[in-house]
Amino acid sequence: MQLALQRCQAAGIVFWLRRIAASRAAALGLALLLATAVAALDYATGYELRMAILYLLPIALATWAGGTTAGMSVVGVSSLFWLVSFRSTHPYSGEIFFYWEGIVMITVYMTFVLLLARLRVALSRADQRFFRVLDELHAAVYVADQASGALLYANRSLARVLAVDPRTLQADELARRFGLPPDHGETPAAESLAHGGGFVAREVRDATNGRWYLVQRGPIPWNSARRVSLQVITDISEQKQAQLVHRQHQEMLHQTARLAALGEIASTLAHELNQPLTAIANYSGACLRMLQAPRHDRRELVAALQRARAQSLRAGRIIGRVRDFVRSRHPTPSECDINALVCEALELLEARLDDHAIATALTLSEDLPTTRADRTLLLQVVVNLVQNAIDAMADTAPECRRLRLSTARNSDGAIVVSVADQGAGLAEAASEKLYTPFFTTRSTGLGLGLSICRSVIEAHGGRIWHEANPGRGSTFHFTLPPETPR
Ligand code: ADP
């Protein structure tokens, strides 16, 4: 209790001293009063205690509050007190020693004033530089008293960003404008921990002008008598707009990817459907012939009809896949088994691979994790790479046409899919432009396939690249991050 009382008294004294130092006239008055008190004390003690050193106190007070001129004035007054009163009573054998002491003392006082004034100027310049930096900030910065809600400091941007006069503002009004709870300094512990140092950040839309702001608020030390909080308001409308445009671009990209792939799919579809349709026509022709014959084997008829049915189901599945592909406009990430996806891509292109007499080698890693991805888009990437490989091997001797497809994990744990061909390979000049939209060396190509592949893979957090094979052809690789357990 006693300690608390002492602390309160000390805080009270410090508070009043600060207030006095803040007012120039009051500080100068007090300094002169103190100097008179020191002179009186010195005189009363018969100069036995040599109290002249205490003049430094009023000199310091006057210099700090009023600068060099005020300090020098108090030096003058103090020296006059000392010279006049001590001259008749000094114990020195000659006047010269008395004046010598006077000169030394005055020099010390003046040096003290000059040093203190320099320190004061240096500190005030540092303050000015600091406030200039704050004024030049793009963000609005202000400091508010948590108890009264008054703004203790506001930088120049506050008026510009919020289009208001900060002098007329109260912190609570600003909090209301941004839908923040009034700031009474009680930052919840969990929130404080989560944001570090008690600062909380929030993106808010100002209903008055429709702009977006990032509002950061947190307590800062000011002085012992006040609890204050610092608020930083940054206009992020442009970033928000850029994010929106980016999202729209991404959506357009997915849409374009689908449309461009649609052309490829259509030709694959025609090719793929051709096989089951021909088979169905053949099986139904055979059935007809059997039925038209005077006698027929019932089991053979059933077998032929079952085969026709299987082929029509296969054709239905192919069409279903295309319909899914065209329908899903937005990327739909889901858990994705890459080995199964690679097999499905091969199944889709089975007929084309057969037509080109391409031998396929499949090496699938057994401990491959799943990934989170838009399955249809990834399927398109693999289909595209395999189609490119088929095209690249058009001029390869039939016995050398080999496609190697593999899945593996790299040292970072990422999934790696590789498509290697025995084609003509890539010229170095072409190699650099490969992923640029509309770069193609094929007369019928669109030049969008690889650029779409890259966008899709990068959108999934992966990377795509290619390299020349040691012997012939090239290998395209892409990585995908493994799905993290949720
Ligand atoms: P497109 O197939 O419509 O030309 P892509 O973006 O898929 O568009 O491919 C761009 C170009 O990259 C192709 O024209 C071709 O020159 C080259 N390319 C792609 N894959 C291979 C490959 N496996 N081997 C050799 N060249 C390839």
Side-chain angles (χ1 to χ4, degrees):
M1 183 67 190
Q2 188 70 23
L3 194 70
L5 203 66
Q6 278 171 2
R7 274 202 189 141
C8 283
Q9 282 166 350
I13 291 166
V14 170
F15 176 72
W16 279 109
L17 279 178
R18 277 202 182 124
R19 288 201 75 161
I20 289 168
S23 151
R24 231 181 119 167
L28 209 60
L30 183 70
L32 289 174
L33 212 69
L34 279 174
T36 315
V38 172
L41 213 64
D42 217 5
Y43 184 75
T45 54
Y47 296 92
E48 293 288 325
L49 295 177
R50 313 303 300 263
M51 292 197 177
I53 190 82
L54 292 182
Y55 284 120
L56 283 176
L57 202 70
I59 291 171
L61 180 63
T63 312
W64 197 256
T68 316
T69 317
M72 287 300 184
S73 311
V74 179
V75 168
V77 171
S78 305
S79 311
L80 211 66
F81 280 156
W82 188 84
L83 283 170
V84 171
S85 60
F86 195 38
R87 189 162 179 266
S88 52
T89 48
H90 71 79
Y92 299 123
S93 53
E95 281 291 275
I96 183 85
F97 298 115
F98 163 70
Y99 283 117
W100 172 247
E101 186 179 336
I103 290 169
V104 170
M105 194 181 71
I106 293 169
T107 314
V108 169
Y109 289 163
M110 284 166 68
T111 314
F112 180 67
V113 168
L114 290 175
L115 285 176
L116 201 63
R118 277 193 84 112
L119 178 69
R120 179 176 175 266
V121 169
L123 282 176
S124 114
R125 281 202 187 131
D127 266 2
Q128 278 169 11
R129 273 198 297 274
F130 177 68
F131 285 122
R132 210 172 303 141
V133 169
L134 286 179
D135 277 341
E136 291 305 320
L137 280 182
H138 179 63
V141 178
Y142 68 89
V143 177
D145 187 339
Q146 287 173 346
S148 66
L151 293 199
L152 302 175
Y153 168 77
N155 75 347
R156 238 185 293 158
S157 299
L158 187 70
R160 184 179 47 77
V161 171
L162 304 180
V164 284
D165 182 355
R167 284 166 304 184
T168 63
L169 267 184
Q170 282 280 311
D172 282 354
E173 279 172 49
L174 283 171
R176 266 197 305 280
R177 183 164 165 183
F178 292 111
L180 298 171
D183 180 19
H184 297 302
E186 56 296 294
T187 313
E191 209 177 2
S192 161
L193 274 178
H195 293 86
F199 264 78
V200 287
R202 192 164 158 186
E203 285 183 7
V204 278
R205 189 169 173 276
D206 184 353
T208 55
N209 59 10
R211 295 187 75 78
W212 279 90
Y213 298 98
L214 173 69
V215 184
Q216 292 157 294
R217 180 164 84 182
I220 55 161
W222 191 255
N223 62 35
S224 55
R226 278 200 164 116
R227 286 165 68 88
V228 304
S229 65
L230 171 73
Q231 331 258 338
V232 183
I233 301 173
T234 318
D235 189 336
I236 52 165
S237 309
E238 272 73 36
Q239 284 105 300
K240 277 272 169 194
Q241 182 62 24
Q243 276 171 8
L244 184 75
V245 171
H246 179 71
R247 259 203 314 276
Q248 284 169 347
H249 277 170
Q250 285 287 98
E251 246 175 58
M252 265 167 61
L253 182 78
H254 286 296
Q255 181 70 344
T256 320
R258 288 206 164 78
L259 287 176
L262 204 60
E264 307 271 358
I265 282 271
S267 75
T268 313
L269 180 72
H271 218 90
E272 282 284 308
L273 282 179
N274 203 26
Q275 246 193 2
L277 289 179
T278 315
I280 292 167
N282 290 342
Y283 289 130
S284 38
C287 291
L288 267 179
R289 276 195 301 282
M290 277 186 244
L291 286 170
Q292 279 162 357
R295 287 178 52 200
H296 60 266
D297 184 340
R298 197 166 169 274
R299 269 181 309 174
E300 261 183 42
L301 189 64
V302 170
L305 278 172
Q306 270 170 346
R307 283 194 201 107
R309 182 171 175 273
Q311 289 300 324
S312 60
L313 288 177
R314 184 179 162 200
R317 273 202 305 276
I318 293 168
I319 291 172
R321 251 187 240 134
V322 176
R323 203 176 41 205
D324 285 351
F325 181 84
V326 179
R327 251 201 223 140
S328 60
R329 198 182 154 316
H330 295 284
T332 43
S334 59
E335 189 183 349
C336 192
D337 175 351
I338 294 296
N339 283 344
L341 185 124
V342 167
C343 292
E344 193 177 326
L346 271 186
E347 206 181 290
L348 257 171
L349 293 164
E350 201 183 320
R352 268 198 88 187
L353 288 164
D354 283 350
D355 286 354
H356 289 78
I358 295 173
T360 311
L362 193 60
T363 315
L364 300 177
S365 163
E366 278 172 12
D367 66 336
L368 211 60
T370 53
T371 186
R372 213 169 160 70
D374 183 313
R375 202 170 187 286
T376 319
L377 285 179
L378 276 194
L379 183 65
Q380 229 9 83
V381 170
V382 183
V383 166
N384 210 304
L385 294 181
V386 174
Q387 266 171 348
N388 279 351
I390 296 173
D391 292 337
M393 289 191 278
D395 296 329
T396 307
E399 63 279 10
C400 298
R401 290 181 192 164
R402 259 194 313 277
L403 175 81
R404 276 183 291 116
L405 256 148
S406 60
T407 58
R409 289 191 86 173
N410 66 11
S411 52
D412 300 335
I415 300 166
V416 188
V417 179
S418 307
V419 181
D421 62 59
Q422 295 285 306
L426 284 150
E428 205 167 313
S431 191
E432 284 163 17
K433 301 183 235 151
L434 235 50
Y435 305 92
T436 337
F438 305 112
F439 172 79
T440 181
T441 55
R442 294 193 294 121
S443 56
T444 55
L446 280 175
L448 283 173
L450 285 177
S451 101
I452 289 168
C453 287
R454 184 168 70 174
S455 306
V456 171
I457 294 300
E458 286 178 358
H460 284 86
R463 189 167 83 80
I464 184 166
W465 74 102
H466 64 274
E467 59 191 359
N469 292 339
R472 196 188 152 82
S474 41
T475 304
F476 282 75
H477 307 272
F478 67 83
T479 59
L480 289 168
E483 186 174 28
T484 44
R486 279 183 292 172

